[in-house]
Each structure stands twice: as C-alpha cells, then as structure tokens.
C-alpha cells in the first residue's frame, strides 16, 4: 500500500546548490518522516514533522508540511557531494490499523556533483 | 545509539534452499519489521511484529515466514528460495513508547538466488 510518492525520481545538482524534493500522500497522517539511504546501505532517519507543524529545521535540512494539499518538501541547502543518496518520505497514517507501520515512498535519487 | 544488525551483508543461495535472515536490535524496541527493496518499487513490507511471538503480514508475505522468539531478534525465513526473491532485505525496529515511531534500519542483506 504505497502512500508517499516522491518527486522528482532523480535530481542532479552541483555542489553548493540547493536541492528540493517533494512528497505527496493520500490519507491523513500523524507525522511525516524523511530518511536517507546511501548506496547499498540501510535507511537513516533524518527529520520528522508532526501533522500540526508547518515547518521544521535541522542543520541544512528544512522540511515543510501542507496537510491541506497532503504534501511535504525537503530542502537541502548548500549541498555537498556527501549528500548524494536516495531520500525517502514515510508517513504514519491515521487509521485504525497497525500502529508504527510507516508507509514509505519510492524515493528521490539525489546526485551532487563536485 | 540504536544498533540494528543483520546476519549477512551478502548471501548467495540456490533455488529451493531454505534461507534464514537474522536481525538483532539492542534498544529494547517492541516493533520490528522486514522489508524488501527492489529498483523502481521502493520498500515493500513483508512482515512485522509488535511483540515476542507476535507477527503480522505486510504487503507481500507470500513465500516468507518470520519468527520472533526473543524481543531483540526477528528472523525472516524463505521456505524455498526462488529467483524472484533475489533482492535487498532490510530489517528495522521502532519503539512503541515513542508515539512517533521512527524506524532504525540495519545495513541490509543483498540476497541472490541462483
């Protein structure tokens, strides 16, 4: 059951530029999370935004959430080659089903060229 | 720091073999998950568990089973491996005490079935 859909599927930028990735989802949520995956590795949790928050910052990361549009964006400022990775959004949906069962999108593959 | 370990990074098995993938977490997390990740398909949930000896089917449980005899260990079993089970397998855990349910991932096991 795919909920989050990231856009674009792939993004290539130069070092120092900003990278913006978007995520759309279908049902109401408790929170939305962003994860990073370096090539061939596990996912690493980056940042979480609750449904009653509109914006959150962590270092060079800025996340926004628009619950009326069911969308979120992840902005990485002043990108570095080390930011090259795939980025996934994951939603914690509000429904009477299984708690803690996050729904992951298919990811955006970011390539930062030095 | 949460640590989730998986028994193998790379595994090559023959069609028809029984395959065991082991996952161990050291943070006393209640919830544990098994995903498979394939290009273009994102993460797909195979099975999850909220407690010892409890298991729930995810989106693609066919051909798989799981075992959770101890809280820290969650095993994925391929009863009779087939070539279409060649994939990256990711284990994750999360705490029920934190209502935000961030997941912590292991490094992944890349399984090839020949």
């Amino acid at each position: 059951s795919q909920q989050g859909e990231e856009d674009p599927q792939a993004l290539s930028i130069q070092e120092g530029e900003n990278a913006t990735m978007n995520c759309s989802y279908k049902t109401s949520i408790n929170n939305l999370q962003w994860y990073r995956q370096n090539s061939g590795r596990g996912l690493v949790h980056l940042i979480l935004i609750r449904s009653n928050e509109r914006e959150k910052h962590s270092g060079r990361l800025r996340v926004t959430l628009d619950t009326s549009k069911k969308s979120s964006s992840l902005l990485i400022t002043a990108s570095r080659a080390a930011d090259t990775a795939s980025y996934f959004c994951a939603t914690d949906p509000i429904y009477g089903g299984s708690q803690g069962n996050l729904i992951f999108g298919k990811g955006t593959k970011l390539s930062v060229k030095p | 720091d949460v640590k989730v370990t998986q028994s193998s990074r790379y595994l090559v098995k023959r069609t028809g073999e029984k395959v065991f993938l082991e996952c161990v977490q050291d943070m006393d997390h209640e919830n544990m998950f098994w995903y498979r990740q394939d290009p273009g398909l994102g993460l797909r949930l195979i099975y999850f568990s909220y407690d010892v000896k409890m298991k729930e089917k995810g989106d693609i449980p066919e051909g798989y089973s799981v075992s959770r005899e101890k809280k820290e260990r969650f095993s994925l079993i391929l009863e009779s491996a087939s070539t279409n089970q060649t994939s990256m397998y990711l284990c994750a855990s999360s705490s029920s005490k934190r209502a935000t349910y961030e997941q912590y991932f292991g490094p992944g096991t890349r399984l090839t079935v020949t």
Side-chain angles (χ1 to χ4, degrees):
Chain A
S1 51
Q2 205 71 38
Q3 159 117 293
E5 293 287 338
E6 291 89 344
D7 168 56
Q9 290 185 348
L11 182 61
S12 183
I13 60 174
Q14 294 293 129
E15 215 167 22
E17 293 180 341
N18 295 342
T20 300
M21 288 158 270
N22 303 297
C23 170
S24 59
Y25 57 93
K26 296 185 178 123
T27 62
S28 297
I29 60 172
N30 293 308
N31 67 66
L32 185 144
Q33 306 177 25
W34 285 91
Y35 290 77
R36 183 187 73 224
Q37 183 181 35
N38 290 96
S39 181
R41 309 292 295 190
L43 279 71
V44 174
H45 182 266
L46 291 176
I47 193 167
L48 178 149
I49 187 164
R50 297 174 194 271
S51 60
N52 61 353
E53 296 175 313
R54 291 296 166 257
E55 189 169 312
K56 200 135 180 214
H57 295 255
S58 176
R60 294 184 294 112
L61 304 181
R62 174 180 161 240
V63 170
T64 61
L65 179 64
D66 187 335
T67 52
S68 65
K69 294 181 180 176
K70 291 188 169 58
S71 68
S72 172
S73 68
L74 171 67
L75 169 68
I76 304 174
T77 60
S79 63
R80 305 166 183 167
D83 294 328
T84 294
S86 292
Y87 292 82
F88 295 84
C89 70
T91 51
D92 177 19
I94 298 172
Y95 51 69
S98 308
Q99 64 178 23
N101 193 352
L102 302 180
I103 310 299
F104 286 84
K106 294 181 181 178
T108 292
K109 196 166 186 175
L110 173 66
S111 175
V112 182
K113 300 186 187 314
Chain B
D1 230 15
V2 179
K3 194 167 182 185
V4 180
T5 57
Q6 295 183 228
S7 49
S8 306
R9 287 297 318 279
Y10 300 94
L11 209 52
V12 180
K13 295 290 181 181
R14 293 197 179 274
T15 301
E17 277 192 85
K18 191 167 186 175
V19 181
F20 292 86
L21 302 183
E22 302 281 335
C23 175
V24 178
Q25 50 92 7
D26 66 358
M27 280 300 290
D28 201 36
H29 282 174
E30 295 78 18
N31 309 323
M32 295 189 76
F33 307 84
W34 274 107
Y35 298 92
R36 66 176 282 177
Q37 184 178 26
D38 302 286
L41 297 178
L43 271 73
R44 292 183 291 167
L45 182 64
I46 305 172
Y47 268 97
F48 55 100
S49 169
Y50 295 137
D51 202 351
V52 176
K53 297 195 186 295
M54 293 186 70
K55 59 185 179 185
E56 299 273 352
K57 291 180 180 179
D59 299 319
I60 52 162
E62 296 78 20
Y64 303 95
S65 62
V66 289
S67 172
R68 190 147 182 220
E69 295 297 316
K70 292 185 177 181
K71 190 175 185 179
E72 67 271 18
R73 189 179 297 269
F74 192 35
S75 302
L76 180 69
I77 303 151
L78 285 65
E79 297 290 343
S80 177
S82 64
T83 54
N84 63 13
Q85 292 178 311
T86 291
S87 187
M88 169 72 108
Y89 290 87
L90 293 166
C91 174
S93 71
S94 71
S95 171
S96 291
K97 297 181 183 70
R98 288 178 60 84
T100 47
Y101 302 113
E102 296 100 313
Q103 291 190 8
Y104 296 84
F105 283 80
T109 295
R110 188 165 292 281
L111 172 68
T112 302
V113 182
T114 62

